[in-house]
Every structure is written in C-alpha cells, then in structure tokens.
Amino acid sequence: MTKLNTSKWTKYKLLRKSSKLNVNLPETAWLRKSSFWRMIKKYRELIIKPTGSYGGNGVIRIKKMAPSTYEVQDGATKKIFTQQSQLNAYIKKQASKNNIIQQRIPLATVNDRPFDLRVMVQRRLKSPWEVTGKLAKVAGKGFVVTNIRLSSGKVVSVEHALKNSALKTMRAADLLSQLDKVALQAAQKLGPFYPWVRTMGIDMALDKEGNVWIIEVNFIPMLGLFLKLKDKSMFHKMKSFRKNIPINES
C-alpha cells in the first residue's frame, strides 16, 4: 500500500468517513475565499492553520465582531478589518500557504484562558490501541493557541483543568471516559491507513457544554510535556511502549 500523506487535511478527511466520529469533528475545509465566507457566515469565528505544520505555528483566529468588522488574531497580535476587500486580500495571501480553515470550538477555560487536551494513544505490536496518558494545555494570557512554547502557557493535569473550569459541575469521570472513547475510535479509524504508526498524540477539546472534539492527530508527538506534570507515571508508561519517542517538545 502506498504511504498516505500525513497532513492534517488528509487525516481529517479519513476521520470524517467515520459515522461515529462525525459529531466530534469541527467542520474543516481547504482555505479558499469561497470556503472562508461560507464558514464565517455560519460560525462567526474560525481558525486558519497550515496543514503540514505542528506546534501551533501559523495558527490564526478570525472573528466576526459586527456586520462589516472582523478581528484577526495572530499570536497575541490583533488587527481589525472593516473592509471586505482588505479581508479578501488577507485570505488570498493565507490561502497561498496551503492552509485549512476550521470551525472555532468555544473551548472550556481555566481563569478565562482556553485549554485543550493532549491524549496519547499507543499500541504494542499486534495489540489493540490503549490510552496511555492525558494532560491539559492552558493558553498563555491573551493567546487563543494553547501551544506552551508559543503562548507561554502551562501544563496541568486534566483533573485539575476540569475542577477549575465551568465544567466542574459535570461528572469528571464521565468526561474522561468520553475522551478516551473518542480518542480510541480515532486511532482505530486511522490505524489501518497508517500501519507503521503505533503512537498517536491526539489534540482534543471540551467545549463549554462538555462536548468532546478532535482538533488534530499527531503521529510524532513529543513526550516532554508529560514531564511537567507532578505525576511522572504516564510518562514512564508511554516510554515503555516506544523507546525512541522524542522527549523534547518542539
């Protein structure tokens, strides 16, 4: 079998074929002027990101503030566009960089800062997939991306994030169980297309209603973030699956 492209766009299209996972996937499209205007009208807030990069690089948020006013946030920098022609020129420039566009999920927050989740799913040779670790990444002040290096955010346990968010009124055990279920379904869907992959770092999110979302799937996840947790047992378990997984987060 020819090796499939491992871009975000290709993996999204494969996951979208699963009837089970459709409800967990934010609408995503290849960035074009037509797809941008269709989706900004539908969702009012979108994320633009490169299909081939990792680590939060190049992620931009665009939010419709008023009928002809749009806020563009790149890192901690915000710009306001009040003319459609200006925004069209900006979108055209971004579209030339092989970007995808995605419905922005209203992430649950800790102290008004959005957080998402890294769920590690691994398998040993000829064994089923299993969840081997989870953590929460809290965005730095003023950022919408949760990448720790880019936003100067912080890593906390998923339990800590849930307890200190508006989701604390929901049963943590139920939320954790749903995260595991969706992560395993994603690995089981992608696994046959990428048979050489035995470790997946799945970036997931909980919205403000507690719904589970798959943001993207990384086949070369770094483990360094798990060393930032007080409990190092998940890190040691993950290392036992693969001796050569990179440790330093890039």
Side-chain angles (χ1 to χ4, degrees):
M1 185 166 75
T2 306
K3 277 199 173 186
L4 265 182
N5 185 308
T6 59
S7 72
K8 294 181 176 75
W9 179 235
T10 299
K11 286 181 277 196
Y12 168 78
K13 287 191 293 182
L14 292 171
L15 289 171
R16 191 175 58 185
K17 291 179 180 178
S18 166
S19 56
K20 290 179 187 172
L21 292 172
N22 266 335
V23 70
N24 307 109
L25 293 168
E27 184 178 348
T28 304
W30 196 256
L31 178 60
R32 293 284 182 266
K33 190 168 79 171
S34 57
S35 60
F36 171 78
W37 286 107
R38 175 181 63 79
M39 288 177 65
I40 197 75
K41 183 179 178 182
K42 185 174 181 181
Y43 297 111
R44 299 184 65 86
E45 194 169 358
L46 302 173
I47 293 289
I48 293 173
K49 57 187 175 184
T51 187
S53 75
Y54 296 94
N57 293 300
V59 175
I60 297 162
R61 182 194 68 164
I62 300 183
K63 184 176 184 179
K64 186 175 183 177
M65 309 292 285
S68 59
T69 305
Y70 299 86
E71 181 184 81
V72 176
Q73 182 169 357
D74 185 350
T77 305
K78 295 179 181 178
K79 289 187 217 171
I80 297 291
F81 289 86
T82 54
Q83 294 180 14
Q84 190 168 320
S85 58
Q86 288 179 317
L87 191 51
N88 276 334
Y90 182 83
I91 296 302
K92 185 178 179 182
K93 182 180 174 186
Q94 296 304 322
S96 70
K97 301 176 185 176
N98 287 341
N99 279 324
I100 55 175
I101 191 165
Q102 194 169 70
Q103 162 195 1
R104 170 87 198 287
I105 303 304
L107 299 179
T109 57
V110 172
N111 298 325
D112 293 325
R113 299 183 190 186
F115 73 88
D116 64 13
L117 308 145
R118 168 67 55 85
V119 181
M120 296 290 292
V121 185
Q122 295 175 281
R123 68 179 179 90
R124 301 187 195 276
L125 199 57
K126 297 181 180 177
S127 294
W129 292 98
E130 61 178 282
V131 174
T132 53
K134 289 191 285 288
L135 55 73
K137 297 173 289 173
V138 183
K141 188 175 182 181
F143 282 79
V144 293
V145 296
T146 59
N147 179 268
I148 302 305
R149 180 176 53 82
L150 281 183
S151 74
S152 298
K154 64 179 180 178
V155 171
V156 298
S157 70
V158 178
E159 292 79 5
H160 174 89
L162 294 178
K163 193 166 66 174
N164 290 277
S165 74
L167 300 177
K168 63 189 174 188
T169 58
M170 302 181 189
R171 272 176 50 94
D174 292 342
L175 293 172
L176 295 172
S177 172
Q178 188 63 14
L179 281 168
D180 286 0
K181 178 183 172 185
V182 173
L184 288 169
Q185 287 174 342
Q188 287 156 4
K189 181 66 180 176
L190 292 175
F193 295 99
Y194 302 98
W196 66 93
V197 174
R198 297 214 296 274
T199 293
M200 297 186 191
I202 306 181
D203 284 334
M204 304 181 72
L206 291 164
D207 65 22
K208 293 178 180 180
E209 277 73 51
N211 300 307
V212 173
W213 297 89
I214 299 171
I215 305 300
E216 61 188 55
V217 182
N218 186 348
F219 290 162
I220 315 174
M222 305 294 183
L223 298 189
L225 286 182
F226 285 87
L227 285 173
K228 296 178 184 289
L229 294 172
K230 186 176 179 181
D231 179 0
K232 305 291 190 288
S233 61
M234 286 186 288
F235 173 80
H236 294 303
K237 182 174 184 178
M238 288 182 283
K239 283 296 285 180
S240 77
F241 273 71
R242 288 287 297 278
K243 303 298 182 188
N244 57 348
I245 300 179
I247 293 175
N248 296 319
E249 190 74 16
S250 61

